[in-house]
Amino acid sequence: MLTLGCPDTTGIVAKISTFLADEGGWIVEAAYHSDADTGWFFTRQAVRADSIAVSLDELRARFAARVASELGPATEWQLSSSDQPKDIVVLVSREGHCLHDLVGRIRTGELNARIAAVIGNHTDLEDFATRLDIPFQHVPFPAAGTDPDGAGRAAAFARVAELTDVHSPAAVVLARFMQVLPPGLCTAWAGRAINIHHSFLPSFVGARPYHQAFARGVKLIGATCHYVTADLDAGPIIEQDVIRVDHSDAIADMVRQGRDIEKLVLARGLRWHLEDRVLVHGRKTVVFS
Amino acid sequence: MLTLGCPDTTGIVAKISTFLADEGGWIVEAAYHSDADTGWFFTRQAVRADSIAVSLDELRARFAARVASELGPATEWQLSSSDQPKDIVVLVSREGHCLHDLVGRIRTGELNARIAAVIGNHTDLEDFATRLDIPFQHVPFPAAGTDPDGAGRAAAFARVAELTDVHSPAAVVLARFMQVLPPGLCTAWAGRAINIHHSFLPSFVGARPYHQAFARGVKLIGATCHYVTADLDAGPIIEQDVIRVDHSDAIADMVRQGRDIEKLVLARGLRWHLEDRVLVHGRKTVVFS
Amino acid sequence: MLTLGCPDTTGIVAKISTFLADEGGWIVEAAYHSDADTGWFFTRQAVRADSIAVSLDELRARFAARVASELGPATEWQLSSSDQPKDIVVLVSREGHCLHDLVGRIRTGELNARIAAVIGNHTDLEDFATRLDIPFQHVPFPAAGTDPDGAGRAAAFARVAELTDVHSPAAVVLARFMQVLPPGLCTAWAGRAINIHHSFLPSFVGARPYHQAFARGVKLIGATCHYVTADLDAGPIIEQDVIRVDHSDAIADMVRQGRDIEKLVLARGLRWHLEDRVLVHGRKTVVFS
Amino acid sequence: MLTLGCPDTTGIVAKISTFLADEGGWIVEAAYHSDADTGWFFTRQAVRADSIAVSLDELRARFAARVASELGPATEWQLSSSDQPKDIVVLVSREGHCLHDLVGRIRTGELNARIAAVIGNHTDLEDFATRLDIPFQHVPFPAAGTDPDGAGRAAAFARVAELTDVHSPAAVVLARFMQVLPPGLCTAWAGRAINIHHSFLPSFVGARPYHQAFARGVKLIGATCHYVTADLDAGPIIEQDVIRVDHSDAIADMVRQGRDIEKLVLARGLRWHLEDRVLVHGRKTVVFS
């Protein structure tokens, strides 16, 4: 799997495709994007492993020497193998629908991933996880008003980080975790921490978005899967979707219908991330779905 | 056509349906909504005119005496006939897609309306309107920076109001008019001025929403049809819809795809308004579509 | 919860609503439908249990005497209480996504149901079910070509019926069961057996619908939740939905994306069924969602 | 604009992109598809005209010599310029919504086309067309039962063909034309005759699809834009979409809502066709939208 982003110019596709052809690479799937706004070029190429004679390390060395060196120092690229399931860590609170959904998708083989740990600030989902042999860790967070200087919360997050980082996960999934990551973790997990926000961002940033949506009287509600950054709910968006509501839907109805969208949007975003289909550039993403 | 809103209590449906049954009314379509949040009850009932023996005025008098008087002074109701096309006035600027669409829907009979006038602050759409025998009025607005005290703009709006009010229109449609109505006209046309905003509100209020959407990297763009109030783009929402975009869509692509949503959303909202399907309560609408 | 269907005439709503008002019933949710095509009237009314003074049996007797008797002998009605979770039986084969999804929805409380048994013609889903304390029964079916007179298949279905009927379930859910119910069971479970078919019916009836869809080159794939009748895939439709595909989607991609639609459509259809929101009339359904 | 389809092998992209790079071509938009099912490769590349020094004819000659000759005799390719509006002919009957919509899109510049003629078997749309300076031709067809040997119908189609072919149109659009093209015209206009069918094919082939949909009780209705072939409603599908309906929608409601989908689907399909975004292979299309 090759992903690459670099300043756009003529001949990039020719260079890459000639290199892959010379190595005997059978391209199974190829996608390209030239962004006129930023003058940047992006590509993702899936090549059959058995069509390449050399090792992955050797291929990387050759690509660096023959292609990347000619595309300039700003070029970002990655060559990886997709045969092994990737480890992920899932952060949860009390609501289980996103966790249930991810577990189901892993059991059916749709997501090529392994849940190394579920970390919850409540124990509501411990029973579900442990029955299915998924390690569950409880890290309590201070209740509102009991942690004036934030030391308790900082300690809890330090414990979450410790329990997470031991797995070097390919993704840290905030599956309705309901706690705002501190800036340090946003940096440490940049490009790997994935949140599902229960509104169609940028509408209804922050707490209780379904209540905000109900009060405003919108006719569609949505969910947004995005990378976590230090700006609350403002990280690069990976995927969004919506569902229709009307005046007869109370907040509880919105919550119920919204859960279906949250599950779908998170599952799509996470799969694309794990399959190297998401390239981040600035505040935006290129998604080769 | 009967529409009614009043404080909720037991027996309202019984009162109304008994009244209509006593008058011989054949109910073709009936919709009810009890809003738990506000404690308000809403209904819309379409009755076949030929099943009622008395005149519309007599029916109103009987309904006032026998039903409305028992439901309390806060009750709002309306009994009307839907056989005549209703007059509307359409305010436009340079972009024609919404006007083209409304004209087509009127020609096919989908919208039971007559365009009494098109008023434009530019003349781009004059040719289209006049070829189809729709009166077009040009009311120029001062260019940016040329009207420091707003007198020119106020005069232009006075002229728009004059040209509009002579028709006592059932709806004043801002079909991509691009000018913010002054508070006085928001009040004068309350519940009748209908705007199409080219974003999924409350995201991207104000100018150039597609540019805002592009910069934020959203994965869906939308449009919102709403009643105009003095708060910019914050009036009661009648209808919204969205369409999927991705990283390959430049702003021009968003604009093109967004136009399809704008047309659909405006057409639905306007039809529901003209057929007395929209009941406004506070900042929100009940839409019996 | 009152549901009723009867030949349409004037005054039905007045009769029902007057009856409920006289009993003190606080109507939380009411829906009506007059079908012009068949001349039939349908209603569903949700009444707060604590607003009614008499017992459910007494209420039924009063409704029969005062209302139903006046609406004619063709009238079908039902008065029930919705406080207890309903028992369901789920028939499965090897694919788990629908079962996973239903289990998740029951755990979150979205579906007010209890899975009395999962019956599988394979054992693939036994581990998942038993870990979560859901009784799993394995009923093997004869392999293709090994049961020329159908006796093995008949015996297997007899066993399925025995294991199912002991629970008197409110719904028998064919969650990608992949076996065609014999006519006897279609009759025995009429109005209770719910199937999810992995196409947008009536397109692609029968086996391997995603393969059929791929061969035809459709641009959307779908799923259909319907009551099972003796006509294959032709029973009354409860719910359908679709998702967009394009030329880049291989059959495996369609299968993966289709699963999301199957889960959603089955979950919606089953919830509406369990909440008495679905009224069947002939080949069609009225769904008061 | 380069479009190409050929048997898949390694190195195709390298050949094409090297050729374009050597000619100085600035690729604005590029799309590729390898079809695993048929072993065929497809691409579309949009190149800025001002980045190429040689004439279009010279570029074609060079491409034929240097690229196409190496890709084998089955290769189909096309190099064209997209600067001129393309001529289209629109066949209509009595319903105007598709014609209204296309005219609006051409007036706003969304469709880079010119309507060379509208041909109607009724005169309902003559007024609209002629007011907007679009040539309208009336070709009456024999009424049902008055043309037992089909001679009248054959003569009418001969006249339609004559009035159409004089323009050598890039597309012949059957905009709710309601007459089945004879096999001879299907062949003569292969790959250029575009129909809008008012159902989600393959459901509800043939006449009165909304009536069929109503009778079956489907929960979504749709429309399909496809190339016309001698098999009724079975040609390669370009685009489809659907809209939700429910039990409260009578046939007239389905017709009204369906029109919105017909307009959208036809407009998308026609635009893609005119922009060389549709490559036909067998019964299916590759659409580089």
Side-chain angles (χ1 to χ4, degrees):
Chain A
M1 191 75 59
L2 166 69
T3 56
L4 177 145
C6 68
D8 201 3
T9 178
T10 54
I12 304 175
V13 176
K15 283 192 185 69
I16 296 172
S17 53
T18 301
F19 171 80
L20 288 175
D22 290 349
E23 297 291 344
W26 183 281
I27 299 172
V28 179
E29 196 181 336
Y32 306 84
H33 174 57
S34 291
D35 194 82
D37 193 50
T38 59
W40 212 255
F41 172 86
F42 305 88
T43 188
R44 174 184 182 271
Q45 315 233 358
V47 180
R48 285 177 54 164
D50 59 9
S51 67
I52 302 275
V54 302
S55 72
L56 186 58
D57 280 342
E58 173 63 21
L59 192 70
R60 282 185 188 126
R62 293 184 185 186
F63 188 85
R66 288 186 41 200
V67 182
S69 61
E70 295 192 30
L71 298 178
T75 301
E76 294 177 6
W77 62 277
Q78 184 180 315
L79 263 167
S80 61
S81 169
S82 63
D83 55 350
Q84 293 299 317
K86 294 181 177 173
D87 278 349
I88 65 174
V89 169
V90 183
L91 310 188
V92 302
S93 183
R94 313 191 64 160
E95 290 206 56
H97 56 285
C98 286
L99 179 65
H100 297 154
D101 186 68
L102 294 181
V103 167
R105 288 174 196 272
I106 290 172
R107 287 184 85 93
T108 60
E110 175 185 326
L111 276 179
N112 191 21
R114 194 182 70 89
I115 300 183
V118 174
I119 303 173
N121 63 337
H122 292 278
T123 56
D124 302 58
L125 301 177
E126 180 164 16
D127 175 71
F128 178 79
T130 53
R131 280 176 178 271
L132 297 172
D133 283 346
I134 301 168
F136 183 92
Q137 307 279 356
H138 179 215
V139 178
F141 273 64
T146 66
D147 184 37
D149 63 354
R153 194 167 160 279
F157 265 120
R159 179 74 180 135
V160 168
E162 183 183 17
L163 292 169
T164 298
D165 291 339
V166 67
H167 300 291
S168 304
V172 182
V173 182
L174 284 71
R176 301 295 311 273
F177 180 49
M178 313 301 283
Q179 299 282 337
V180 178
L181 282 200
L185 283 183
C186 294
T187 305
W189 295 339
R192 286 187 297 150
I194 294 176
N195 186 46
I196 179 72
H197 183 76
H198 41 314
S199 85
F200 179 71
L201 291 173
S203 290
F204 311 134
V205 167
R208 298 167 76 80
Y210 291 127
H211 289 73
Q212 296 182 51
F214 180 83
R216 182 61 185 93
V218 290
K219 302 299 184 186
L220 300 163
I221 55 171
T224 303
C225 177
H226 63 94
Y227 289 110
V228 179
T229 62
D231 286 337
L232 182 63
D233 298 331
I237 293 170
I238 307 173
E239 171 65 343
Q240 306 186 285
D241 215 335
V242 294
I243 196 168
R244 190 162 280 273
V245 293
D246 68 20
H247 60 266
S248 70
D249 290 298
I251 289 175
D253 299 308
M254 289 186 174
V255 168
R256 187 192 65 245
Q257 294 175 78
R259 282 196 296 246
D260 283 341
I261 298 300
E262 297 165 30
K263 290 190 289 189
L264 274 178
V265 164
L266 175 58
R268 284 186 205 138
L270 179 58
R271 186 170 65 80
W272 294 336
H273 172 81
L274 293 176
E275 296 181 357
D276 293 326
R277 293 178 183 278
V278 188
L279 284 73
V280 178
H281 192 69
R283 289 182 65 199
K284 299 170 65 172
T285 60
V286 171
V287 179
F288 292 125
S289 60
Chain B
M1 192 76 60
L2 166 68
T3 56
L4 177 146
C6 68
D8 201 3
T9 178
T10 53
I12 303 174
V13 176
K15 283 192 185 70
I16 296 171
S17 53
T18 301
F19 170 81
L20 289 175
D22 289 350
E23 297 291 343
W26 182 283
I27 299 173
V28 179
E29 195 180 337
Y32 307 84
H33 173 58
S34 292
D35 194 81
D37 193 51
T38 58
W40 213 257
F41 171 87
F42 305 88
T43 188
R44 174 184 183 273
Q45 315 232 358
V47 180
R48 284 176 54 162
D50 59 9
S51 68
I52 302 276
V54 301
S55 72
L56 186 58
D57 281 342
E58 174 62 21
L59 193 69
R60 282 185 187 127
R62 293 184 184 185
F63 188 84
R66 288 184 44 198
V67 182
S69 62
E70 296 192 28
L71 297 179
T75 301
E76 293 176 5
W77 62 277
Q78 184 180 316
L79 263 167
S80 60
S81 169
S82 62
D83 55 351
Q84 293 300 317
K86 294 181 176 172
D87 277 349
I88 65 174
V89 169
V90 184
L91 310 188
V92 301
S93 183
R94 311 191 66 160
E95 290 206 54
H97 56 284
C98 286
L99 178 66
H100 297 154
D101 186 68
L102 295 179
V103 167
R105 289 174 195 273
I106 290 172
R107 287 183 85 94
T108 60
E110 175 187 325
L111 276 178
N112 191 20
R114 193 181 70 90
I115 300 183
V118 173
I119 303 173
N121 62 337
H122 292 276
T123 56
D124 301 58
L125 302 177
E126 181 165 16
D127 174 72
F128 178 79
T130 52
R131 280 176 180 271
L132 298 170
D133 283 345
I134 302 168
F136 182 93
Q137 306 279 355
H138 179 215
V139 179
F141 273 63
T146 66
D147 184 37
D149 63 353
R153 193 167 161 279
F157 266 121
R159 179 73 179 136
V160 168
E162 184 183 16
L163 292 168
T164 298
D165 290 339
V166 68
H167 300 289
S168 303
V172 182
V173 182
L174 285 69
R176 300 297 309 277
F177 180 48
M178 313 300 284
Q179 299 283 336
V180 178
L181 282 200
L185 282 183
C186 294
T187 304
W189 295 339
R192 287 187 297 150
I194 294 177
N195 186 44
I196 179 73
H197 183 76
H198 41 314
S199 85
F200 180 71
L201 291 173
S203 291
F204 311 133
V205 167
R208 298 168 75 81
Y210 292 127
H211 289 73
Q212 295 182 52
F214 180 82
R216 182 61 186 92
V218 291
K219 301 299 184 185
L220 300 163
I221 54 171
T224 303
C225 176
H226 63 95
Y227 289 110
V228 179
T229 61
D231 286 336
L232 181 64
D233 298 330
I237 294 171
I238 307 173
E239 171 65 341
Q240 304 184 287
D241 214 334
V242 294
I243 195 167
R244 189 162 279 274
V245 292
D246 68 21
H247 60 265
S248 70
D249 290 299
I251 290 175
D253 299 308
M254 291 187 173
V255 168
R256 187 192 65 243
Q257 293 175 78
R259 281 195 297 245
D260 282 342
I261 298 301
E262 295 165 32
K263 291 189 292 188
L264 273 177
V265 163
L266 175 59
R268 286 186 203 137
L270 179 59
R271 186 170 64 83
W272 295 337
H273 172 82
L274 293 176
E275 295 180 357
D276 293 326
R277 295 177 180 277
V278 188
L279 284 73
V280 178
H281 191 69
R283 288 181 66 199
K284 299 170 64 171
T285 61
V286 171
V287 180
F288 292 125
S289 58
Chain C
M1 191 76 59
L2 166 69
T3 57
L4 179 145
C6 69
D8 201 4
T9 178
T10 54
I12 303 174
V13 175
K15 284 191 183 69
I16 296 172
S17 54
T18 301
F19 171 80
L20 289 174
D22 289 350
E23 296 291 345
W26 182 284
I27 300 172
V28 179
E29 195 180 337
Y32 308 84
H33 173 58
S34 291
D35 194 83
D37 192 52
T38 59
W40 213 257
F41 172 86
F42 305 88
T43 188
R44 174 184 183 273
Q45 314 232 0
V47 181
R48 284 178 54 164
D50 59 9
S51 68
I52 303 277
V54 303
S55 72
L56 187 57
D57 282 341
E58 174 62 20
L59 193 70
R60 283 184 186 127
R62 293 184 185 185
F63 188 85
R66 288 184 43 199
V67 182
S69 62
E70 296 192 30
L71 297 178
T75 300
E76 294 176 5
W77 61 278
Q78 183 180 316
L79 263 168
S80 61
S81 169
S82 63
D83 55 350
Q84 293 299 317
K86 294 180 177 173
D87 278 349
I88 66 173
V89 169
V90 184
L91 309 187
V92 300
S93 183
R94 311 191 66 160
E95 289 205 55
H97 56 284
C98 286
L99 179 65
H100 297 154
D101 187 68
L102 295 180
V103 167
R105 288 174 196 272
I106 291 172
R107 287 185 85 93
T108 59
E110 176 187 324
L111 277 178
N112 190 21
R114 192 182 70 89
I115 299 183
V118 174
I119 303 174
N121 62 338
H122 291 277
T123 56
D124 302 56
L125 302 177
E126 181 165 16
D127 173 73
F128 178 79
T130 53
R131 280 177 179 271
L132 297 172
D133 283 344
I134 301 168
F136 182 93
Q137 306 278 356
H138 179 216
V139 179
F141 273 63
T146 66
D147 184 36
D149 63 354
R153 194 166 161 280
F157 265 120
R159 179 73 181 136
V160 168
E162 184 183 17
L163 291 169
T164 299
D165 290 339
V166 68
H167 300 291
S168 303
V172 181
V173 182
L174 285 70
R176 298 298 309 277
F177 180 49
M178 312 302 283
Q179 300 282 337
V180 178
L181 280 199
L185 283 183
C186 292
T187 304
W189 296 339
R192 287 188 297 151
I194 293 176
N195 185 45
I196 178 73
H197 182 76
H198 41 314
S199 85
F200 180 72
L201 291 173
S203 292
F204 311 133
V205 167
R208 298 168 76 81
Y210 291 127
H211 289 73
Q212 295 182 53
F214 180 83
R216 181 62 185 93
V218 292
K219 301 300 184 186
L220 299 163
I221 55 172
T224 303
C225 177
H226 63 94
Y227 288 111
V228 179
T229 62
D231 286 337
L232 181 64
D233 298 333
I237 294 170
I238 307 173
E239 171 67 340
Q240 305 185 286
D241 214 335
V242 294
I243 194 168
R244 190 162 279 273
V245 292
D246 68 22
H247 60 266
S248 70
D249 289 299
I251 290 176
D253 299 308
M254 290 186 174
V255 169
R256 186 192 66 242
Q257 292 174 80
R259 282 196 297 246
D260 283 341
I261 299 299
E262 297 166 31
K263 291 190 289 189
L264 273 179
V265 164
L266 174 59
R268 285 186 204 137
L270 179 59
R271 185 169 67 81
W272 294 337
H273 172 81
L274 293 176
E275 294 180 357
D276 293 325
R277 294 177 181 276
V278 188
L279 284 74
V280 177
H281 191 68
R283 288 181 65 200
K284 298 170 66 171
T285 60
V286 171
V287 179
F288 291 126
S289 58
Chain D
M1 191 76 59
L2 166 69
T3 57
L4 178 145
C6 67
D8 202 2
T9 178
T10 53
I12 303 174
V13 176
K15 283 191 185 70
I16 296 171
S17 53
T18 301
F19 171 79
L20 289 175
D22 289 350
E23 297 291 344
W26 182 283
I27 300 173
V28 179
E29 196 180 335
Y32 307 84
H33 173 57
S34 291
D35 194 81
D37 194 49
T38 58
W40 212 258
F41 172 86
F42 305 89
T43 188
R44 174 184 182 273
Q45 313 233 0
V47 180
R48 285 177 54 164
D50 59 9
S51 68
I52 302 275
V54 301
S55 72
L56 186 57
D57 281 340
E58 173 62 22
L59 193 70
R60 282 185 187 127
R62 292 184 184 186
F63 188 84
R66 288 185 41 200
V67 182
S69 61
E70 297 192 29
L71 298 178
T75 300
E76 294 177 5
W77 62 277
Q78 184 180 316
L79 263 167
S80 60
S81 169
S82 63
D83 55 350
Q84 293 300 316
K86 294 181 178 173
D87 277 349
I88 66 174
V89 169
V90 184
L91 310 188
V92 301
S93 184
R94 311 190 66 160
E95 290 205 55
H97 55 285
C98 286
L99 179 65
H100 297 153
D101 187 67
L102 295 180
V103 168
R105 289 174 196 273
I106 290 171
R107 286 184 85 92
T108 60
E110 175 187 325
L111 277 178
N112 191 22
R114 192 181 71 89
I115 300 183
V118 173
I119 303 173
N121 62 337
H122 291 277
T123 56
D124 302 58
L125 302 177
E126 180 165 14
D127 174 71
F128 178 78
T130 52
R131 280 176 179 271
L132 297 171
D133 282 344
I134 301 168
F136 181 94
Q137 306 279 355
H138 179 216
V139 179
F141 273 64
T146 65
D147 185 35
D149 63 354
R153 195 168 159 279
F157 264 120
R159 177 74 179 135
V160 169
E162 183 183 17
L163 291 169
T164 299
D165 291 338
V166 67
H167 300 292
S168 303
V172 182
V173 181
L174 284 71
R176 300 298 308 277
F177 180 49
M178 312 301 282
Q179 299 283 337
V180 178
L181 281 201
L185 282 184
C186 292
T187 304
W189 296 340
R192 286 187 298 151
I194 294 176
N195 185 45
I196 179 73
H197 183 75
H198 41 314
S199 86
F200 179 69
L201 291 173
S203 292
F204 312 134
V205 167
R208 297 166 76 83
Y210 291 127
H211 289 74
Q212 296 182 52
F214 181 82
R216 181 62 186 92
V218 292
K219 302 300 183 186
L220 300 164
I221 55 171
T224 303
C225 177
H226 63 93
Y227 288 111
V228 178
T229 62
D231 287 337
L232 181 63
D233 298 332
I237 295 170
I238 308 174
E239 171 65 341
Q240 304 185 287
D241 214 334
V242 295
I243 195 167
R244 189 162 279 273
V245 293
D246 68 20
H247 60 265
S248 70
D249 290 299
I251 290 176
D253 298 308
M254 290 187 175
V255 168
R256 187 192 65 243
Q257 293 174 79
R259 281 196 297 246
D260 283 340
I261 298 301
E262 296 165 31
K263 291 189 290 189
L264 273 179
V265 164
L266 175 58
R268 286 186 204 136
L270 179 59
R271 186 171 64 81
W272 295 336
H273 171 81
L274 294 176
E275 295 182 357
D276 294 325
R277 295 177 181 277
V278 188
L279 283 73
V280 177
H281 192 69
R283 289 181 65 200
K284 298 169 66 172
T285 60
V286 171
V287 180
F288 292 125
S289 58

